[in-house]
Amino acid sequence: MTTTEISSLLQEHRRFDPPGPFAARAHVKSEAEYRAMAARAEADPDAFWAEQARALAWSHPWTKVCDWDPPDARWFVGGKLNVAVNCLDRHLGGARANQAAILFEGEPGDVRVLTYRMLHREVCRFANALLSLGVRAGDFVAIYLPMVPEAAIAMLACARIGAPHTVVFGGFSAEALADRLKDSRARVVITADGGWRRGQVVPLKASVDRALGMPDVDSVQHVVVVRRTNNEISMRPGRDHFWDDLVAAASPVHEARGHDSEHPLFSLYTSGTTGKPKGILHTTGGYLVGAAYTTRMVFDLRDGDVFWCTADIGWVTGHSYVVYGPLASGATILMYEGAPNQPGPDRFWEMVARWGVTILYTAPTAIRAFMRWGDEWPAKHDLSSLRLLGSVGEPINPEAWMWYRKVIGGDRCPIVDTWWQTETGSIMISPLPGATSTKPGSATRPLPGIAADVVRKDGTPCGPDEGGFLVVRRPWPSMLRTIFGDHERYVKTYFSEIAGCYFAGDGARKDADGYFWIMGRVDDVINVSGHRLSTMEVESALVSHPKVAEAAVVGRPDDLKGQAIVAFVTPRSGAAAGDALAAELRAHVAEQIGALARPEEIRFAEALPKTRSGKIMRRLLREVASGAQTRGDTTTLEDQAVLEKLAQSFATDE
Ligand code: PRX
């Protein structure tokens, strides 16, 4: 965030009360109701969470709500439940059986509708198919699919049989997939021949083949392939199976059993401060309680809603608010495979009108792109079905917030700006749309039950408008349980920075009304278009190129993407710095991680500025990259000339 943006946030005084007709029908109808609920949760957290958990179907009751042995939590101890039963079987008894669960639209315009009954049959069939491949409870299954119904079916089938899934975003490269397969030791990979993106085929199966040929990727025994794009692929007999063939041979009947509340449900890899992505592990009972509770409260779900969360299932938002939260709540979800501007910039608005979407949940980066494309695109379509708008993934600037409210929401729909993380599993800070007055750019206050705060380094609470660290003081059901295979890193990353608290890695301030303003990451994580990347990860990719001696990566504020990646690179001697090398390096990073990590800009330097102890001075590079005046203490610089040269080269190249 730039200084001007921060000061504009500090001066933000606009307030929007929940619209009367919305509040009248909402689950939580007023500020007083919100306060009463939050106070109840504060006074007796266990009773509060037990009440939320009772909204789900348990096959065996828990004996203890929360076992907190800091920093280790177990929730609904001794309880058993099946996530797929909660998302499917539970809805089959009455009229909901024939209600649409998934409305799917592919990028080319093909459409599929699956009712709860149909989805249940498909999930049971695929659960049996997985069993026929020898998958057992506890075995990891990797899912590398486009946004097609099979993605949700595969996740639910895994949950049904107790095989934790690890979904890998289809935009990640073969190398990134290989890293995740090695770390999770997945036995099966579920993929597709390809997916559609801007009219092109993304060749997923070819990436799987490459990943499986890489050193130490040796756990995968079977690959299941969904036919989607009908491009040419190679199939290895014995290892590779078409989805259709497996499912045709499988029974649609599967008796699900309850899994222990603390049985792993999934791991999802996300970037931290080191080069190696970490597998965030979530478990069955607590996660589903969190996902279901927040979906109901934050999106104020009711019968007849068509809920469109535009996130890909490769991210946690797709887990909690495309699949688990909405389906556990019996909602109808819309799932879309492709790009928001294919074939034109009004694809989303045309779909909102045609499907009658009532709740739209998307990212600020998308909102800013829509703003840039112009108001004429949404204006062409009837958006009157919308009743609630949501935002997630990065701070939303007040200007984008106001545009979203006016142009998309017709000044009628409340906006929920939701703060949370892969680690938190579900939304933590957000308005309740029928109860909370909103301020553009603020995620407002923690949900009832969530003990979030802003503190100083020593753990003492910050005063009003004093910037500090965002923390959570008490455990919550959908919190991560560990980093898969590295519990020490879990303790160190989240519970060692601030004594006695979960440390989120974000900076924030609370205003005099207790509203939270999230300022962004305080670590070396950058947020590009709502996608989380570590600077180290991109640096490792760069230095793996034979022509690179050293690299430092920083984020620079970007009007559209939030942050853009700028890489400072020292080439090896003999390698010529220039456009050709920059292009080669950008392609190399895309190959190592995925297109989302490709640096926006590469700057060559003879040397990088370092402290006397040899640490790269990122703060300086960040300032150079964003063109800001260099300030602060630079006396520890190894070579001041290096910095001056960098700053100069930046100025002359602009
Ligand atoms: O910096 C915060 C930002 O996204 C980070 C979490 O990223 P990830 O685990 O990929 O999950 C994204 C979707 C939940 C946070 O540490 N972030 C997320 N939501 C917001 C946000 N920053 C400001 N406002 C938000 N509403």
Side-chain angles (χ1 to χ4, degrees), residues 380-431:
K380 281 186 184 183
H381 302 280
D382 176 6
L383 305 182
S384 61
S385 58
L386 288 171
R387 66 180 195 90
L388 178 62
L389 303 174
S391 169
V392 60
E394 38 174 334
I396 180 165
N397 43 314
E399 194 195 347
W401 195 100
M402 291 300 295
W403 183 89
Y404 197 27
R405 181 183 152 90
K406 181 162 170 274
V407 179
I408 304 305
D411 280 328
R412 169 189 82 248
C413 305
I415 295 181
V416 287
D417 172 7
T418 60
W419 177 85
W420 59 296
Q421 310 176 289
T422 307
E423 290 88 340
T424 69
S426 59
I427 296 168
M428 304 288 278
I429 305 180
S430 167

